[in-house]
């Protein structure tokens, strides 16, 4: 009985002696890391022995698909530099290190130490599983910050073993939590730079990014804190009132522009006033006064005025970046010298309507009126002895619109008398004039495509200019783009060619023309077939029989009747 119990054990021992016992284990590693597969023997007892590593099950001799071999002191053969014996081979440690493992490295690995004698070899087998992971976090840097745009860039990172398919950008107000962030996903893994547009001037934002592959999304990048530059105020001063104080003075009171229209710290106000001549129905020359911004309700006294004269006044708020739009009020009359009654601005009924003159006042700040521009061009022409040529405008095309992400590309034109030094793109609301351009983005001379993000979904006009040392080109063609909320893609593309004598041709009209050329003939054919069919049906009704019809052998028949003629 005892002998029968020992039979299985004896068989197992005999099997190990004949084939050699193989120990096995499993290891799980992630793509990109170095993995060490353990294998060692007693070098003090056996001395220095030859060993090998192979891929697959260990055969009766040697190593299958051998990747590395040692003679007991050093490596004598290896398939690739990725396979290394980094430990002390001389003391019997022949552990295999695989550098920067990939998913293709998954599988069975076998180690054989060749011990002298029959069936003495030491064999160790391992199963390696390499899994892909999420990409590494990005490192984001600020490239350029302007009044309404921020351009960021980053260096490609380890993709985790699966290609990066998209990037996600989160943008929020500095004072709020990330729950309020605007998130945009860009499905262009080749990108290393993008521009966010339609930001508010003089505002602080936090920005972070994520890389995405098929496994998942990376950890958040470093958080950038950017403060956009100041811009000229968008809104005029509020609650402007005029009040005659004496026969030679008028008091002007007003409040600052709305907080969200100031676009920076208010430095002061530009006050311009002029006398109105009722007889000639025209205004006289402007006079100017500057006031420092100090409080939430400002006032100033205009003195040395004429008695019993009407005056028009405009006020513009100023930041370090420029002068904003003007606020106006009804004309106000100074008091008569013999009168002691003050006239208020509510008694006046004549409004300032000379917008050309108002534009002239604005031009003395940071803008140039149309009249001054023509004059400057004439003086320039007289004082120049040679003609210089600015570059031709580029031609811009829409590559893709996805949610609120816009991808553009452009073709450079003739560079003029000197190489193109850069391009700049203007973006504005579709209903606004180009004088109120909201966004300007600069690009390098070697750049021919870009991806920008509109933070506020809306409809925009976009155009581009080329620059060289001689000047700036004319405007390129204009693209009208409608961006949508996340998950909703809307594109209204209207391209116009900028010329001096011809109006722009619309792409939508061309498409409508092609559609009409197809639809009209089809409608006519359908109408003719309908008329003939109606006529035949009337003939059928005139004959006796059922009106239940069907098609048989290519002839139209009805019950209890002869075959009808084919239509």
């Amino acid at each position: 009985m005892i002998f029968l119990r020992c039979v299985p054990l004896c068989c197992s021992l005999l099997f190990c002696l004949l084939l050699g016992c193989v120990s096995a284990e499993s290891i799980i590693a992630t793509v990109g890391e170095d993995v060490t597969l353990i294998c060692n023997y007693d070098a003090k007892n056996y001395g220095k022995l030859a060993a090998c590593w192979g891929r697959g099950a260990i055969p009766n001799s040697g190593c299958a698909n051998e990747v590395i071999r040692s003679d007991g002191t050093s490596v004598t053969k290896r398939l690739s530099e990725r396979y290394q014996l980094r430990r002390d081979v001389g003391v019997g440690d022949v552990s295999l290190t695989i550098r920067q493992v990939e998913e293709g490295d998954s599988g069975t690995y076998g180690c054989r130490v060749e011990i002298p004698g029959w069936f003495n070899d030491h064999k160790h087998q391992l199963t390696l599983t390499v899994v892909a992971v999420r990409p590494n976090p990005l490192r984001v840097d600020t490239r350029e910050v302007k009044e309404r745009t921020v351009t960021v860039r980053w260096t490609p990172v380890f993709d985790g073993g699966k290609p990066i398919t998209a990037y996600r950008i989160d943008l929020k107000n500095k004072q709020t939590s990330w729950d309020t962030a605007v998130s945009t996903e860009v499905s262009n893994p080749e990108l290393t730079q993008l521009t966010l547009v339609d930001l508010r001037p003089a505002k602080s934002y936090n920005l972070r990014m994520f890389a995405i592959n098929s496994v998942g999304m990376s950890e958040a990048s470093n958080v950038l804190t950017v403060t956009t530059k100041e811009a000229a105020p968008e809104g005029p001063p509020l609650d402007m009132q005029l009040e005659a104080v004496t026969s030679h003075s008028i008091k002007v009171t007003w409040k600052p522009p709305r907080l969200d229209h100031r676009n920076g710290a208010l430095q002061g106000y530009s006050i311009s006033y002029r006398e109105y001549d009722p007889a000639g129905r025209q205004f006289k020359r402007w006079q100017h006064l500057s006031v420092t911004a100090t409080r939430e309700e400002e006032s100033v006294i205009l003195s040395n005025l004429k008695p019993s004269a009407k005056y028009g006044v405009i006020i513009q708020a100023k930041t370090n970046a420029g002068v904003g739009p003007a606020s106006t009020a009804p004309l106000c009359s100074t008091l008569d010298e013999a009168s002691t009654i003050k006239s208020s601005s509510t008694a006046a009924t004549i409004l300032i309507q000379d917008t050309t003159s108002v534009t002239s006042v604005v031009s003395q700040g940071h803008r140039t009126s149309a009249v001054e521009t023509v004059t400057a061009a004439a003086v320039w022409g007289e004082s120049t002895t040679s003609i210089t040529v600015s570059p031709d405008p580029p031609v811009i095309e829409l590559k893709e619109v996805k949610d609120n992400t816009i991808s553009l590309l452009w073709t450079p034109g003739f560079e003029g008398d000197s190489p193109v030094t850069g391009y700049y793109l203007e973006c504005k609301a579709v209903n606004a004039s180009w004088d109120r351009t909201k966004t300007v983005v600069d690009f390098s001379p070697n750049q021919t495509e870009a991806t920008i993000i509109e933070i506020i979904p809306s409809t925009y006009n976009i155009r581009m200019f080329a620059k060289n040392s001689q000047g700036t080109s004319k405007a390129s063609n204009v693209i009208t783009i409608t961006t949508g909320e996340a998950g909703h893609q809307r594109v209204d593309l209207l391209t116009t060619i900028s010329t001096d004598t011809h109006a722009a041709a619309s792409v939508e009209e061309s498409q409508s023309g092609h559609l009409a050329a197809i639809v009209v003939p089809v409608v006519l054919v359908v109408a003719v077939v309908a008329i003939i069919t109606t006529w035949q049906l009337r003939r059928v009704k005139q004959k006796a029989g059922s009106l239940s019809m069907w098609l048989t052998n290519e002839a139209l028949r009805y019950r209890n009747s002869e075959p009808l003629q084919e239509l």
Side-chain angles (χ1 to χ4, degrees), residues 412-533:
F414 174 64
E415 64 181 14
D417 283 351
S418 64
V420 171
T421 57
Y423 301 93
Y424 69 91
L425 181 143
E426 290 186 348
C427 177
K428 71 172 183 66
V430 68
N431 295 323
S433 67
W434 287 109
D435 294 335
R436 305 298 297 172
T437 298
K438 294 189 66 176
T439 301
V440 176
V441 185
D442 290 316
F443 301 103
S444 66
N446 297 324
Q447 200 166 347
T448 57
E449 60 180 284
T451 297
I452 60 179
I453 296 176
E454 291 285 0
I455 297 303
I456 303 175
S458 184
T459 301
Y460 299 90
N461 286 338
I462 292 177
R463 67 181 183 181
M464 181 172 280
F465 298 82
K467 300 181 294 184
N468 67 6
S469 60
Q470 305 301 324
T472 303
S473 72
K474 295 180 180 179
S476 71
N477 54 309
V478 177
I479 294 181
T480 300
I481 300 175
T482 298
T483 58
E485 298 286 356
H488 300 275
Q489 180 174 345
R490 298 182 298 149
V491 182
D492 298 327
L493 177 59
L494 178 62
T495 305
T496 59
I497 307 301
S498 177
T499 63
D500 294 334
T501 57
H502 294 86
S506 119
V507 171
E508 292 178 350
E509 292 175 359
S510 174
Q511 294 175 345
S512 300
H514 289 299
L515 184 60
I518 297 173
V519 172
V520 171
V522 173
V523 172
L524 291 176
V525 172
V526 172
V528 171
V529 173
I531 292 172
I532 295 174
T533 303

Side-chain angles (χ1 to χ4, degrees), residues 24 54-56 62 263 316 348 400 413 418 468 516:
R55 296 196 61 171
N263 294 342
Q316 299 166 274
E400 182 186 30
S418 64
N468 67 6

Side-chain angles (χ1 to χ4, degrees), residues 8 18 36 55 75 164 204 258 295 302 381 389 463 471 500 503:
L18 292 175
T36 298
R55 296 196 61 171
V75 174
I164 292 175
S204 294
R258 283 174 39 182
R295 50 189 179 272
L302 304 179
V389 180
R463 67 181 183 181
D500 294 334

